[in-house]
Amino acid sequence: MSATRTPGNDKAIVKDYFNTTGFDRWRRIYGDGDVNKVQRDIRDGHQRTVDTVVYWLKQASKGDLTGQTICDAGCGVGSLSVPLAELGATVAGSDISEAMIGEANDRAAKLHLGDRLSFEVKDLEAIDGSYDTVICLDVLIHYPDSDIEKMIGHLASRAQSKLILSFAPKSGIYVLLKKIGELFPGPSKTTRAYLHPVRDIIAILRANGFEVNRREFIGSQFYFSQILEAVRSEEA
Ligand code: SAH
């Protein structure tokens, strides 16, 4: 049975979506098979987000991530976890969707990266353990404003030195584009999309002892993502 929308149950709806329609849609977009023009645009935009994060981490450690522990929270099918493990990091990917983790495990099985790459079904707010770096890409779009403080606070508590987030920024033009998008009904519009002001996210990071030291905006016709890298500040 699918979850119905009542106030406060976004998470159940999101989980349901990423186990069904969302899984089919995103597996295709994050894969390498044929896609339509819109999906191609989103695939390319998302790939730029992944590439940017990989580049930042590579740059910070001269291309070799051996010995670093990374948590990929809301990892989807492992689009980021895989390249990071291939660079030597020990990556723990987790996601609330069984279907996404199933696909991530299928992909990992072909790569023979051993213990360096593991995937687990988990709500990111229940992640335990601690990691050098915690990364959470394109998940905040599923979180309403009222829930992001707790969510980011939890991720921050798991990160020893770095926290990298990407999200759809809330600014005039994107609010307008989102409104236009909502005028067109379609089967893919089954979850709500939440945009967040960049300054709000920065303030939450700061309240948790993290300062933003790198940022990049990735924008194409149908894909928008603000990436922030924050590091634990000395006095925190
Ligand atoms: N980070 C991945 C996937 C982004 S799609 C990437 O960039 O490739 C968003 C993912 O967030 C979906 O797989 C969805 O199942 C997951 N998600 C949403 N809410 C979550 C939560 N509370 N805990 C863990 N995963 C969550």
Side-chain angles (χ1 to χ4, degrees):
M1 219 182 81
S2 59
T4 34
R5 194 187 310 279
T6 53
N9 84 335
D10 280 278
K11 215 180 255 184
I13 291 174
V14 167
K15 183 179 165 78
D16 203 46
Y17 170 74
F18 279 106
N19 270 327
T20 54
T21 348
F23 170 62
D24 293 333
R25 179 167 186 245
W26 291 104
R27 180 180 49 170
R28 196 167 328 122
I29 291 178
Y30 296 159
D32 51 18
D34 284 346
V35 280
N36 66 33
K37 260 179 93 178
V38 175
Q39 291 167 332
R40 157 80 51 191
D41 179 89
I42 298 172
R43 176 191 283 175
D44 292 348
H46 173 260
Q47 189 58 46
R48 278 163 62 202
T49 296
V50 169
D51 290 347
T52 300
V53 172
V54 170
Y55 174 73
W56 285 353
L57 292 174
K58 261 171 86 171
Q59 223 188 19
S61 52
K62 301 199 169 66
D64 184 6
L65 304 189
T66 307
Q68 291 187 34
T69 54
I70 296 177
C71 164
D72 185 5
C75 64
V77 296
S79 313
L80 174 74
S81 300
V82 167
L84 293 179
E86 283 174 334
L87 286 167
T90 300
V91 185
S94 55
D95 198 284
I96 203 168
S97 154
E98 288 87 359
M100 295 296 249
I101 290 298
E103 170 77 12
N105 272 325
D106 287 351
R107 291 183 181 193
K110 298 185 188 116
L111 298 170
H112 310 293
L113 292 165
D115 293 347
R116 288 222 313 279
L117 181 60
S118 61
F119 291 108
E120 180 183 13
V121 178
K122 209 179 226 345
D123 179 346
L124 60 84
E125 289 174 83
I127 291 174
D128 46 20
S130 101
Y131 303 84
D132 296 319
T133 301
V134 173
I135 309 175
C136 186
L137 299 188
D138 295 357
V139 179
L140 274 159
I141 193 156
H142 305 295
Y143 270 76
D145 279 345
S146 55
D147 296 349
I148 60 173
E149 254 182 77
K150 193 164 144 263
M151 185 264 211
I152 297 173
H154 184 71
L155 294 178
S157 74
R158 307 291 99 211
Q160 276 158 31
S161 57
K162 244 179 228 177
L163 181 54
I164 300 176
L165 302 174
S166 77
F167 55 97
K170 185 170 193 164
S171 62
I173 182 73
Y174 302 116
V175 171
L176 184 70
L177 284 170
K178 184 169 170 285
K179 284 215 174 82
I180 294 169
E182 281 163 1
L183 294 177
F184 300 97
S188 63
K189 308 261 176 359
T190 44
T191 50
R192 284 188 62 176
Y194 298 98
L195 312 180
H196 302 289
V198 178
R199 63 173 181 282
D200 288 7
I201 305 288
I202 293 176
I204 297 172
L205 286 166
R206 199 166 278 163
N208 284 283
F210 281 82
E211 275 308 319
V212 170
N213 72 335
R214 236 174 157 169
R215 57 165 84 192
E216 179 86 33
F217 174 71
I218 308 287
S220 63
Q221 244 180 312
F222 301 100
Y223 178 89
F224 312 99
S225 198
Q226 174 70 52
I227 319 171
L228 298 179
E229 177 185 277
V231 290
R232 206 174 261 292
S233 31
E234 296 297 319
E235 60 283 355

